[in-house]
């Protein structure tokens, strides 16, 4: 998955990658050349006392160093550019994929995990690409080139290379192998922390109201401790790694000096060759170390890539038709035909065999006890969920065959749990129609009885915080109604949208709405009988079925369930 992902996302940046390869190549070759120049100065210049030779070779050395530094810097620059671009594209990919998810997929992954996957996981992959570009070319060339150069300097000492390199390899490899499973655990622990933190922040009011801080704090502590434990385990392996590497490097240095010194004493080797050999050995070991560091990042990045891949591969359960049907007319007629539906994982259906028609110019009201399936029913029209069996038709065409755009243009929903986005009031209202003039927004606010906005200091430009938490529940509800009005749809779905309003405002709002929605299909889910008594048809729901239907007067005669609802409200009014 990691390879597939990186290959796919790095392709557009191939020129950068090639530049990095060339630059790293140049820089590594230059680095390999330096010790041998150094040896020449010592063995030929210094020993012969040839000052000219020293100066000339010194100048060459300076030039080579310059090339090495310049190409290394340029290589890192282009490498970073490519790696960051890959990260950006990957994040974008995840974001757009998640935006196409229906409630079902979000539930499956869990919102916190989706957030980690889009941020931290992408960062790990991006980091690996960066390291890969910096080391992948340099490390092997440095290693192989170093060995060749070292052997050329002195064949007799080369056994030191064959001993120290495998030793380093084994030590670092063992630690990497130990680290791998820990990294996998680490990513899930980060998910856990994200989850607890997110729930606490969004639920902060409830936490305060019920004095749940100690409990929440302990829950967070638990997640935090788990992450700390894993991180500590990782850290303790790292702690081992650096001394282990250091020890091998120093032992190798000591061995070179010891055995090399013996050879110099015996006149079998020159001092310059000895220093060059030492430098080459160190270069080789550093290259091996870089390689293993890379290797160490691979498992973690692989875990992350897999998690990202899961998101990218997920097939949204609700997808657009490939060849959408365009309905002949756009009146907004709604029909449910034998619709049944069960939530994923649930056994009992929430809706069974629901059939009804809602015509343009009419108001259809839905009443029923809580949990009877009203919100579920309403959410099928904008395809928040698809029917398990049966059909939901809009203007005679099943919604599954309509383009998403076509549906959103015709249907506006005021959800039971109103949600506003961070930004200004105007920004929120223009969701339905980005080109709406300020005048239209004011008009919609007036109809929705949300004029309070205009009395605020900044009017339409007043700030709304994420979720709309800086306005009251009732205000939020009315703003959501205004948002639906601005869209000027053919079908209005009001899911319990008048519940937070006092009786007088409710009445005024409905009177104003009536003229606005004269030609549209209006579907109202409501608790209060007063809200729906004028509706053209009332559907009474119970346990996911429509048990009775008719007008207020008809139902009062025929429907015991409806009578019960009415009676309970009259009794409540009397109490009041
Ligand atoms: N996302 C979900 N996943 C699983 N089950 C759900 C989900 N949403 C609702 N349900 C279940 O479906 C049933 C109907 O829920 P629904 O929200 O449609 O009721 P409702 O009639 O709108 O109630 P209310 O009057 O309280 O708004 C409930 O029993 C509920 O437990
Ligand atoms: Mg509901």
């Amino acid at each position: 998955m990691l390879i597939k992902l990186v290959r796919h996302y790095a392709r557009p940046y191939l020129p950068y990658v090639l530049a990095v390869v060339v630059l790293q190549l140049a820089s590594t070759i230059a680095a390999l050349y330096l010790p041998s120049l150094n040896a020449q100065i010592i063995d030929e210049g210094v020993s012969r006392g040839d000052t000219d030779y020293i100066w000339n070779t010194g100048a060459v050395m300076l030039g080579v160093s310059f090339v090495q530094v310049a190409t290394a810097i340029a290589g890192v620059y282009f490498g970073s550019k490519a790696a960051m671009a890959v990260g950006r594209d990957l994040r974008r990919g995840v974001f757009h994929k998640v935006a196409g998810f229906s409630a079902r997929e979000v539930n499956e992954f869990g919102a916190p995990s989706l957030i980690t996957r889009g941020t931290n996981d992408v960062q790990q992959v991006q980091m690996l690409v960066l390291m890969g570009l910096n080391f992948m070319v340099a490390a092997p060339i440095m290693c192989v080139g170093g060995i060749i150069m070292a052997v050329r300097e002195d064949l007799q000492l080369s056994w030191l290379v064959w001993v120290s390199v495998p030793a380093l390899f084994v030590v670092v490899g063992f630690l990497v192998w130990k680290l791998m499973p820990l990294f996998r655990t680490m990513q899930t622990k980060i998910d856990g922390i994200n989850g607890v933190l997110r729930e606490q922040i969004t639920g902060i009011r409830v936490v305060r109201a019920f004095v749940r801080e100690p409990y929440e704090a302990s829950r967070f502590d638990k997640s935090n401790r788990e992450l700390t434990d894993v991180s500590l385990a990782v850290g303790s392996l790292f702690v081992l790694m650096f001394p282990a590497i250091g020890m091998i490097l120093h032992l190798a240095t000591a061995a070179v000096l010891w055995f090399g010194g013996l050879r110099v004493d015996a006149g079998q080797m020159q001092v310059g060759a000895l220093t060059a050999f030492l430098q080459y050995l160190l270069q080789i070991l550093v290259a091996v170390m870089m390689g293993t560091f890379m290797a160490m990042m691979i498992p973690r990045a692989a875990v992350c890539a897999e998690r990202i891949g899961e998101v990218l591969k997920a097939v949204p359960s609700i997808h657009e038709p490939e060849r959408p049907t365009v309905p002949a007319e756009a009146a907004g007629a709604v029909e449910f035909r034998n619709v049944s539906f069960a939530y994923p994982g649930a056994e009992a259906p929430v809706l069974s065999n629901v059939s009804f028609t809602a015509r343009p110019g009419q108001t259809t009201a839905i009443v029923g006890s809580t949990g009877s399936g009203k919100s579920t029913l309403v959410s099928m029209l904008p395809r928040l969920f698809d029917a398990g069996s049966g059909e939901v038709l809009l203007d005679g065409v099943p919604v599954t065959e309509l383009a998403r755009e076509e549906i959103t243009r015709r249907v506006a929903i005021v959800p039971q749990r109103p949600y506003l986005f961070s930004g200004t009031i105007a920004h929120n209202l223009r969701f339905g129609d980005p080109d709406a003039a300020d005048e239209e927004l004011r008009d919609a606010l007036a109809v929705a009885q949300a004029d309070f906005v205009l009395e605020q200091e900044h009017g339409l430009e007043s700030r709304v915080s994420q979720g709309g938490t800086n306005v009251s529940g009732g205000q939020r509800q009315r703003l959501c109604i205004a948002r639906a009005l601005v869209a000027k749809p053919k079908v209005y779905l009001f899911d319990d949208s008048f519940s937070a309003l006092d009786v007088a405002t409710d009445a005024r709002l409905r009177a104003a709405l009536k003229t606005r929605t004269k030609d549209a299909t209006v579907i109202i889910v409501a608790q209060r009988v007063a809200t729906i008594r004028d509706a053209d048809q009332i559907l009474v729901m119970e346990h996911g079925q429509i048990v009775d239907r008719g007008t207020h007067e008809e139902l009062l005669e025929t429907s015991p369930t409806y009578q019960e609802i009415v009676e309970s409200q009259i009794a409540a009014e009397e109490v009041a």
Side-chain angles (χ1 to χ4, degrees), residues 279-536:
Q279 280 170 345
Y280 283 127
L281 184 63
L282 291 183
Q283 276 184 349
I284 297 166
L285 293 180
V286 168
V288 171
M289 214 166 66
M290 288 197 300
T292 14
F293 268 139
M294 266 276 310
M296 186 170 62
M297 299 199 58
I298 290 174
R300 185 168 189 191
V303 172
C304 294
E306 215 149 289
R307 286 159 47 99
I308 297 168
E310 279 167 13
V311 176
L312 294 178
K313 267 191 307 202
V315 184
S317 54
I318 294 192
H319 34 83
E320 285 211 48
E322 278 178 17
R323 256 167 293 146
T325 316
V326 180
E329 49 178 346
V334 173
E335 188 183 349
F336 275 58
R337 251 185 230 160
N338 296 321
V339 171
S340 298
F341 175 77
Y343 280 102
E347 283 167 26
V350 174
L351 295 178
S352 36
N353 246 332
V354 171
S355 299
F356 73 92
T357 323
R359 293 195 183 78
Q362 285 193 346
T363 300
T364 302
I366 304 175
V367 284
S369 48
T370 84
S372 55
K374 306 181 296 291
S375 297
T376 309
L377 185 149
V378 168
S379 65
M380 317 222 77
L381 196 56
R383 287 194 76 193
L384 301 182
F385 295 102
D386 273 342
S389 69
E391 272 181 335
V392 179
L393 299 112
L394 185 58
D395 284 325
V397 180
V399 283
T400 46
E401 288 173 23
L402 286 171
R404 165 154 253 141
E405 217 176 294
E406 200 81 36
I407 301 176
T408 43
R409 226 181 44 217
R410 280 154 210 249
V411 181
I413 184 165
V414 180
Q416 186 167 21
R417 262 184 292 174
Y419 193 91
L420 296 171
F421 288 84
S422 54
T424 63
I425 300 272
H427 160 84
N428 270 285
L429 293 182
R430 287 205 174 96
F431 260 54
D433 177 7
D435 305 321
D438 277 4
E439 215 33 64
E440 286 173 68
L441 302 187
R442 289 212 183 84
D443 187 42
L445 287 171
V447 173
Q449 310 297 310
D451 321 55
F452 69 91
V453 171
L454 302 174
E455 288 153 22
Q456 285 177 3
E457 196 192 332
H458 300 290
L460 283 172
E461 299 304 318
S462 309
R463 302 295 309 172
V464 181
S465 55
Q466 191 179 31
T469 43
N470 63 343
V471 294
S472 81
Q475 289 172 333
R476 191 153 63 227
Q477 209 162 45
R478 282 181 271 168
L479 287 173
C480 286
I481 295 173
R483 179 172 65 191
L485 288 170
V486 170
K488 296 205 183 66
K490 301 288 178 212
V491 183
Y492 288 91
L493 302 173
F494 295 108
D495 188 356
D496 216 0
S497 306
F498 311 110
S499 58
L501 309 180
D502 57 87
V503 180
T505 317
D506 180 11
R508 257 184 291 139
L509 172 55
R510 273 183 299 114
L513 264 183
K514 203 164 227 165
T515 42
R516 255 313 261 268
T517 60
K518 184 157 88 272
D519 303 318
T521 307
V522 180
I523 299 179
I524 297 180
V525 175
Q527 308 283 352
R528 266 204 295 265
V529 174
T531 313
I532 55 160
R533 63 188 309 155
D534 308 326
D536 298 286

Side-chain angles (χ1 to χ4, degrees), residues 264-278:
V264 171
D265 261 355
Q268 291 160 325
M269 192 181 185
Q270 285 185 296
V271 180
L274 180 62
T275 36
F277 187 89
L278 185 59

Side-chain angles (χ1 to χ4, degrees), residues 176-234:
V176 168
W177 176 70
K178 281 296 226 189
L179 279 169
M180 261 156 54
L182 290 177
F183 281 139
R184 185 180 290 273
T185 326
M186 202 168 200
Q187 268 350 71
T188 49
K189 295 298 175 206
I190 294 178
D191 276 359
I193 287 261
N194 257 351
V196 176
L197 205 56
R198 197 181 110 98
E199 195 168 54
Q200 258 170 56
I201 293 169
T202 42
I204 188 76
R205 290 189 196 198
V206 183
V207 171
R208 287 275 150 73
F210 288 89
V211 200
R212 296 292 276 172
E213 284 103 331
Y215 170 75
E216 290 294 327
S218 74
R219 209 158 70 103
F220 182 79
D221 271 350
K222 184 169 166 288
S223 291
N224 200 4
R225 172 129 322 270
E226 284 171 3
L227 180 62
T228 312
D229 288 344
V230 179
S231 308
L232 275 179
V234 170

